[in-house]
Amino acid sequence: MTTKPVAKGDAIDFNLETMTVEQGLHLIEQERVQPLLTYLRTGVFENRNNMTFMKAYSVVVQFGDQQQHSFKLYSYYKKVIQDYCTEAMSSLALVSGEELLSALADLWEKNTILVFWMQRVFQYLDRFFTKSSTEHPDLFKAALQCFTDTVYSKVKDKCVAAMVAVVNRERDGYEINQDVLRLLVEMLCTVGDTGPKVVKQKEGIDKSSADRLLWQSQARGSYKNDFESSLLSATQEYYRNKVAGWMAAYSCPIFLAEIQKRLDDEESRLSRYLDSSSETELKRVVQMELILNTAKQLVEMSTGAQSMFQNQRYEELKLMYRIFKREPTMLPHLISVMEPYIEQRCSRIVEDQQMIDNPPTYTERVLELKKEVDDMVVSCFESDTGFQKGRNKGLEAILNKDTRCAKYLALFSDLQLKKGLKGRNEDEVQSLVNQVVGLFAHLKDKDIFLDIYKSALSRRLLNKLSVSNDAEDCFITKLKVECGQQAIQKLASMFTDMALSDQLQEEYMKGSHSGSPGGVTHEVRVLQTNAWPEKADDAPVVPCQEMLTCIRAYEAFYHAKHNGRKLRWIYNMGQVEIKCHGLARQHLLVVSAYQCLALMLFNHRKEVTLKEVCEATKLPEEECRRQVMSLTVSRHKVLMHDGTGKDLSIDAKLQVNSSFTSEKIKVQVSLIKKEEKAGETTALAEAPVERKHVIDAAIVRIMKSRNRLEHNALLEEVFRQCTLFKPQPTQIKSQIEHLIEREFLKRDEKNRNAYIYLP
């Protein structure tokens, strides 16, 4: 409803000085109220200019300052609204259901228009009359009270029941009049409010959009008490009945899709016509019936979580997680199925004998499984911490049953760093390193991995077998993050030694002999005693004259730079390239230092016995036989012997195989594997470091800082500090007893379960 503005300068042609209050009210009735009521009944507004408003407002201002007249104006204002509501109520009493809702919504909308324009006429009363009175509320509140007493109190129960029925009807898929419900929700939020008012508001963002009148309330009026409680009860009953039917008829994926649809519908309903204050309670009720009361059954259905994991139906798992996440206490049901699934998948690999017999394939399959479950946790479960812990628990329960995974992973790393990473770009290298270190993080026997990795790293560095220094650095950096600086300190020292050795070699090459004393070019690596796993053989090996010349030259150079340092030569780690002239074709043989010593004897004698080789080199017989036999096998038959079969007797005569030839000029002679004594392999695998010393150090460190500690508390502290392996309680107890015997600790005389540190 709009009115034409009065032109500037127009006069109001009536005399307020001689007018009585009754005449003024009559003027308001004729000029303003009746046209407004006619508009509400017919939709046609007769007086479309502001002159009528100004006349009516002038009357209110004229008489509004006088107490006895103010009350008459106030009473008239209430009577107009009261009469309109009473007239409308007569028609409401005859209808019910959706028809009642439509009629009530229409009445509320028209009553809002009436109140808004009436308040504009009589608003002067709110300046003084209602403000100074405790008996007479302001105009908006008085109008709302008239509506409440005349209409709402009489149709409240029927209205609420009908609204709930309509909401359930929409839940069943039927179209409803949302505008009606929106108006009625506004009515419920306003009725009973202590400070309501009507405001004019644009219906859209566009400035040209139409104006709409609506009530604004400070609280939520009767909405909470009269409507929301009924809606929540009906919602609970509705979904409880629905769930019973779905559980019997639907598979788990269809059930989940239905739940998601219903949850989305309820959120949409809140944004379309329900009040936002209902969000928390409505979601609580809906999620209780759709999620809390069904989650366990859904997970355990034949088409539930276990089937989804087994068949890798990740979209369905993603939907289940998204639904369960609304009620976090339900997530453990899903995690409890994921853990045994991962254990089962992992067991298929680690218990497969073919995989056990093929370490590279074994490790690749475990890494693939790790990546698969990692991706699953990220994509399906949004990297939820509970699922990450479940994944870790499932993998670690199987991988840590023995030390095989730690050993195989170290061997796999060595294989990749020797040749597997060849030709790969930086991103691919980084990805593989991340995968290996990610799997390493799950191992409890980290010390076993590090011990084998350290031995392999030393061979790669000394024999220059690494395909990429960047990959080696990346591995060390990742291991440092996972284990700490102390755990990889020796690995880092090995790289430092190699760098320093390169510098020394450059300086050595600048000598008068140009790094080739006696015409023998050689390269020396100076290693710290405690940083490298290689140990010198105890046998007093006698080097040949050519080798001895090189040793003396380097020692003279080294001692000139460093006083007080002693070099101990590790012949068993050396490698030699020998140019052979007495063969059918000229070859360059790559042999061990021990094999070189044996071959050099043939420069002076045509035939040598194994015993003579042992005497000349001072090698132990068993090791000497292994070294020499490697030169007599069919693949690299550089030497021949007069014995039968493959075994060499101590008196077997050896001579150069002058007919030896190979397709390659440079021939790498492989050593026969050394037979390990029973128990050596097990000892290496199970305890690569002296774990008892690590436990001792941890106990002493803890007790020194705490002075007194009970047994269980000490165990917990030791578990926390032993990060590279998980000690057994019996191991810790045994080491405590040893420390008591060695008088590092003593038992508390008052409490035998507590220990005291002895400084």
Side-chain angles (χ1 to χ4, degrees):
M1 183 185 77
T2 59
T3 59
K4 292 182 180 179
V6 179
K8 187 175 181 181
D10 288 355
I12 302 176
D13 55 349
F14 67 101
N15 189 354
L16 292 172
E17 298 296 332
T18 60
M19 183 181 290
T20 64
V21 67
E22 287 76 12
Q23 290 172 332
L25 288 174
H26 180 73
L27 183 144
I28 293 172
E29 174 83 20
Q30 296 300 316
E31 296 287 338
R32 197 65 183 171
V33 175
Q34 285 304 324
L36 183 56
L37 293 174
T38 301
Y39 166 74
L40 295 177
R41 296 187 186 101
T42 64
V44 178
F45 192 53
E46 295 174 354
N47 296 331
R48 298 183 64 83
N49 61 60
N50 277 345
M51 183 60 74
T52 58
F53 168 75
M54 294 179 67
K55 287 180 179 181
Y57 183 75
S58 298
V59 171
V60 175
V61 172
Q62 176 67 22
F63 296 104
D65 290 334
Q66 304 170 46
Q67 184 67 22
Q68 66 275 22
H69 296 326
S70 296
F71 180 73
K72 287 183 179 180
L73 293 171
Y74 184 78
S75 299
Y76 175 77
Y77 167 84
K78 290 179 60 177
K79 181 177 182 301
V80 171
I81 297 171
Q82 183 87 28
D83 291 347
Y84 179 75
C85 292
T86 301
E87 180 185 347
M89 186 59 201
S90 60
S91 60
L92 287 178
L94 303 175
V95 295
S96 61
E98 291 188 47
E99 192 176 352
L100 169 65
L101 298 182
S102 297
L104 184 57
D106 181 64
L107 172 58
W108 175 255
E109 187 173 29
K110 290 180 177 179
N111 185 67
T112 301
I113 295 171
L114 176 63
V115 171
F116 178 77
W117 290 107
M118 287 290 291
Q119 195 272 346
R120 289 193 66 185
V121 172
F122 289 88
Q123 61 184 308
Y124 189 77
L125 296 177
D126 278 340
R127 287 193 184 180
F128 303 104
F129 178 71
T130 60
K131 187 174 288 188
S132 61
S133 173
T134 56
E135 298 179 10
H136 307 298
D138 64 61
L139 298 178
F140 282 131
K141 191 172 181 181
L144 183 62
Q145 191 61 48
C146 290
F147 177 85
T148 303
D149 296 340
T150 308
V151 179
Y152 180 73
S153 61
K154 295 179 172 60
V155 300
K156 176 180 68 174
D157 294 339
K158 290 169 63 178
C159 172
V160 169
M163 287 178 69
V164 170
V166 169
V167 171
N168 282 343
R169 181 173 171 79
E170 187 190 33
R171 286 172 175 154
D172 287 332
Y174 294 97
E175 292 288 334
I176 64 167
N177 191 331
Q178 298 178 32
D179 291 335
V180 168
L181 285 179
R182 193 180 300 114
L183 283 167
L184 294 176
V185 167
E186 179 189 304
M187 176 192 74
L188 289 165
C189 289
T190 308
V191 170
D193 193 77
T194 56
K197 63 178 179 178
V198 181
V199 296
K200 187 184 292 186
Q201 185 175 319
K202 294 286 185 184
E203 289 191 345
I205 301 175
D206 190 1
K207 292 182 179 179
S208 61
S209 58
D211 291 332
R212 177 176 176 266
L213 298 176
L214 71 155
W215 286 85
Q216 284 187 345
S217 54
Q218 296 176 351
R220 285 295 177 267
S222 300
Y223 179 85
K224 288 287 184 184
N225 296 330
D226 294 345
F227 174 70
E228 188 183 272
S229 56
S230 298
L231 175 67
L232 296 177
S233 298
T235 299
Q236 185 173 30
E237 184 179 358
Y238 176 87
Y239 282 118
R240 186 170 294 170
N241 294 334
K242 286 291 182 183
V243 163
W246 297 340
M247 194 65 74
Y250 290 167
S251 65
C252 182
I254 296 175
F255 201 136
L256 290 171
E258 186 66 35
I259 290 175
Q260 187 61 55
K261 176 181 177 298
R262 297 293 178 150
L263 292 171
D264 292 342
D265 287 348
E266 294 299 331
E267 289 182 2
S268 172
R269 196 165 286 117
L270 281 164
S271 64
R272 285 183 287 118
Y273 56 79
L274 293 179
D275 188 73
S276 59
S277 65
S278 295
E279 181 176 4
T280 302
E281 284 301 308
L282 183 61
K283 284 185 176 181
R284 181 188 63 79
V285 170
V286 172
Q287 289 174 191
M288 180 176 67
E289 295 301 327
L290 295 183
I291 302 174
L292 286 172
N293 295 343
T294 63
K296 191 171 186 298
Q297 292 171 278
L298 283 171
V299 168
E300 294 174 351
M301 288 174 74
S302 59
T303 54
Q306 187 171 357
S307 173
M308 294 174 187
F309 280 115
Q310 295 290 352
N311 297 295
Q312 298 182 359
R313 296 201 295 270
Y314 292 149
E315 288 301 318
E316 294 172 5
L317 284 171
K318 191 184 298 183
L319 177 59
M320 181 177 281
Y321 170 76
R322 195 162 62 243
I323 290 171
F324 284 13
K325 188 174 69 169
R326 293 170 178 264
E327 294 291 344
T329 55
M330 297 298 102
L331 291 175
H333 293 305
L334 189 52
I335 296 172
S336 66
V337 177
M338 184 187 73
E339 284 181 19
Y341 162 73
I342 293 175
E343 289 180 14
Q344 184 185 41
R345 289 285 305 278
C346 196
S347 295
R348 290 177 193 167
I349 299 172
V350 302
E351 295 175 5
D352 186 340
Q353 191 58 45
Q354 290 184 339
M355 295 293 167
I356 294 172
D357 296 338
N358 190 344
T361 305
Y362 173 102
T363 309
E364 286 175 2
R365 290 288 300 279
V366 173
L367 287 171
E368 288 170 4
L369 175 62
K370 172 70 166 58
K371 186 177 186 305
E372 180 186 329
V373 297
D374 283 350
D375 292 343
M376 178 182 70
V377 169
V378 172
S379 62
C380 297
F381 311 122
E382 301 176 2
S383 298
D384 184 280
T385 53
F387 286 87
Q388 289 187 39
K389 290 178 181 178
R391 172 204 60 196
N392 297 347
K393 190 176 179 181
L395 287 171
E396 291 166 11
I398 304 301
L399 296 178
N400 290 319
K401 282 185 175 180
D402 52 40
T403 61
R404 184 180 294 117
C405 187
K407 293 184 290 183
Y408 283 9
L409 185 62
L411 297 174
F412 177 82
S413 302
D414 178 50
L415 187 64
Q416 294 301 312
L417 289 165
K418 283 196 293 189
K419 58 183 180 180
L421 295 176
K422 194 172 184 179
R424 298 197 185 188
N425 60 38
E426 185 178 348
D427 291 339
E428 291 173 332
V429 171
Q430 187 74 24
S431 175
L432 181 65
V433 171
N434 287 338
Q435 287 184 50
V436 172
V437 177
L439 181 59
F440 167 75
H442 293 292
L443 303 178
K444 71 177 183 181
D445 297 308
K446 292 181 173 65
D447 54 342
I448 291 178
F449 172 93
L450 290 173
D451 190 69
I452 298 174
Y453 184 86
K454 182 170 69 173
S455 298
L457 175 61
S458 71
R459 289 192 293 271
R460 291 198 302 275
L461 293 177
L462 294 175
N463 299 324
K464 299 183 178 179
L465 298 176
S466 293
V467 296
S468 169
N469 289 332
D470 290 340
E472 294 281 6
D473 291 341
C474 183
F475 240 106
I476 297 299
T477 302
K478 295 287 184 182
L479 289 173
K480 179 180 177 181
V481 172
E482 190 62 41
C483 302
Q485 174 64 34
Q486 187 176 0
I488 59 96
Q489 190 170 0
K490 289 185 178 180
L491 302 182
S493 297
M494 291 162 70
F495 284 96
T496 303
D497 287 350
M498 295 302 290
L500 293 174
S501 295
D502 287 338
Q503 294 177 9
L504 286 171
Q505 188 67 27
E506 287 181 11
E507 295 179 25
Y508 181 64
M509 296 290 285
K510 295 176 182 177
S512 59
H513 47 65
S514 299
S516 302
V520 178
T521 303
H522 61 285
E523 185 177 348
V524 179
R525 297 292 177 187
V526 181
L527 315 179
Q528 296 180 58
T529 303
N530 296 323
W532 294 74
E534 281 67 29
K535 303 297 180 186
D537 281 348
D538 293 332
V541 177
V542 178
C544 60
Q545 188 60 43
E546 293 83 355
M547 197 178 290
L548 192 60
T549 301
C550 295
I551 291 172
R552 288 170 178 168
Y554 193 86
E555 285 183 341
F557 159 77
Y558 189 81
H559 290 148
K561 291 182 68 65
H562 303 286
N563 291 326
R565 294 188 183 181
K566 182 179 180 181
L567 293 177
R568 186 179 184 189
W569 296 89
I570 309 177
Y571 298 104
N572 54 302
M573 286 303 297
Q575 193 176 66
V576 183
E577 293 183 2
I578 301 180
K579 188 177 289 186
C580 298
H581 301 281
L583 304 179
R585 179 183 176 190
Q586 188 171 329
H587 285 289
L588 190 68
L589 299 181
V590 182
V591 296
S592 70
Y594 289 165
Q595 289 173 327
C596 170
L597 297 181
L599 290 173
M600 292 301 289
L601 295 176
F602 290 96
N603 282 337
H604 307 288
R605 300 170 61 180
K606 186 176 180 180
E607 190 177 86
V608 181
T609 64
L610 180 62
K611 183 177 181 181
E612 290 171 338
V613 174
C614 293
E615 291 174 350
T617 61
K618 302 301 181 183
L619 282 171
E621 181 181 333
E622 185 179 347
E623 180 62 20
C624 186
R625 180 179 283 108
R626 184 174 77 96
Q627 296 284 340
V628 173
M629 279 183 63
S630 300
L631 295 167
T632 64
V633 295
S634 58
R635 185 179 176 188
H636 301 124
K637 199 167 185 178
V638 179
L639 299 179
M640 296 187 300
H641 63 91
D642 61 356
T644 57
K646 295 182 179 180
D647 291 337
L648 280 176
S649 66
I650 190 65
D651 297 319
K653 296 179 180 179
L654 301 162
Q655 61 183 5
V656 176
N657 180 13
S658 58
S659 61
F660 172 79
T661 185
S662 174
E663 294 178 357
K664 299 179 180 179
I665 297 295
K666 189 174 183 178
V667 179
Q668 180 85 36
V669 179
S670 302
L671 272 175
I672 296 172
K673 288 186 178 181
K674 189 176 182 180
E675 292 183 5
E676 295 177 338
K677 296 179 181 179
E680 284 185 1
T681 305
T682 304
L684 175 66
E686 298 301 331
V689 294
E690 292 290 343
R691 289 185 174 180
K692 62 180 181 179
H693 297 318
V694 176
I695 296 172
D696 282 351
I699 294 171
V700 171
R701 189 164 52 246
I702 294 164
M703 292 303 300
K704 190 174 182 180
S705 63
R706 304 288 285 274
N707 194 37
R708 183 187 182 280
L709 209 59
E710 291 194 357
H711 181 76
N712 290 337
L714 180 57
L715 287 183
E716 290 179 7
E717 286 291 327
V718 173
F719 287 142
R720 188 177 61 81
Q721 292 198 16
C722 292
T723 55
L724 296 183
F725 64 96
K726 187 177 181 180
Q728 297 299 316
T730 52
Q731 282 181 294
I732 301 173
K733 186 176 180 181
S734 174
Q735 294 311 120
I736 291 172
E737 294 298 334
H738 289 161
L739 290 171
I740 291 174
E741 291 175 6
R742 291 153 58 190
E743 297 184 352
F744 282 91
L745 308 176
K746 73 172 183 178
R747 294 186 185 276
D748 190 335
E749 294 180 0
K750 297 180 180 178
N751 181 3
R752 302 292 291 173
N753 199 38
Y755 307 106
I756 297 174
Y757 177 71
L758 296 175

